[in-house]
Amino acid sequence: MTAFTNYTEGQIANHIFRTGSFTKPSTLFVGLMSAVSDGEAGTVTELSGGGYARVANAPGDANWAAPVSGNGTVSNVGAITFPQATADWTTATHFGIWDASTAGNLLVYAPLAANRTVTNGSTPSFAAGQLTVQVDN
């Protein structure tokens, strides 16, 4: 199940109900995590080393499918491919979407359908339609 972080929920609530204005990020960055201590607070353990880097996937119709009617689920239109691992990575258990290539605000996260062990020389990816985010949980 996908979850929005406290940061994202606060930004949306301020935008809709108060005078605050949420400016959506110009680029979204998909990352992999090996642990989620408190996802709502953005306390996660992101993979690192061995050539790991978040992957940019900008907001827009060309990159994200229209929400599924009735449940608010969106998915990636094209493959999201990480850099080739130059060493074994820690086993990935979750994905996250941030508003920056490093640091930044974690916007949304979810467990992977199956844990993924990334070994030296492999290139992890999400095929088109495989990474889904659901607004209505």
Side-chain angles (χ1 to χ4, degrees):
M1 173 170 32
T2 309
F4 284 89
T5 61
N6 292 340
Y7 168 80
T8 305
E9 291 168 350
Q11 292 296 315
I12 293 169
N14 278 326
H15 181 81
I16 293 173
F17 298 105
R18 297 178 42 89
T19 58
S21 180
F22 178 65
T23 303
K24 75 177 175 181
S26 58
T27 305
L28 300 171
F29 295 89
V30 179
L32 298 171
M33 300 174 285
S34 61
V36 174
S37 301
D38 184 352
E40 291 289 313
T43 309
V44 300
T45 304
E46 187 175 6
L47 303 189
S48 64
Y52 170 80
R54 294 176 188 165
V55 178
N57 197 40
D61 296 350
N63 294 325
W64 297 94
V68 174
S69 179
N71 74 5
T73 300
V74 297
S75 62
N76 56 314
V77 170
I80 297 174
T81 304
F82 289 85
Q84 183 178 35
T86 59
D88 291 349
W89 296 354
T90 304
T91 298
T93 60
H94 292 74
F95 77 86
I97 300 176
W98 282 264
D99 61 4
S101 60
T102 59
N105 299 295
L106 177 62
L107 303 173
V108 63
Y109 67 97
L112 298 173
N115 291 352
R116 172 74 191 266
T117 300
V118 181
T119 57
N120 187 6
S122 65
T123 307
S125 67
F126 291 98
Q130 191 177 28
L131 189 145
T132 60
V133 174
Q134 185 178 14
V135 176
D136 181 17
N137 300 354

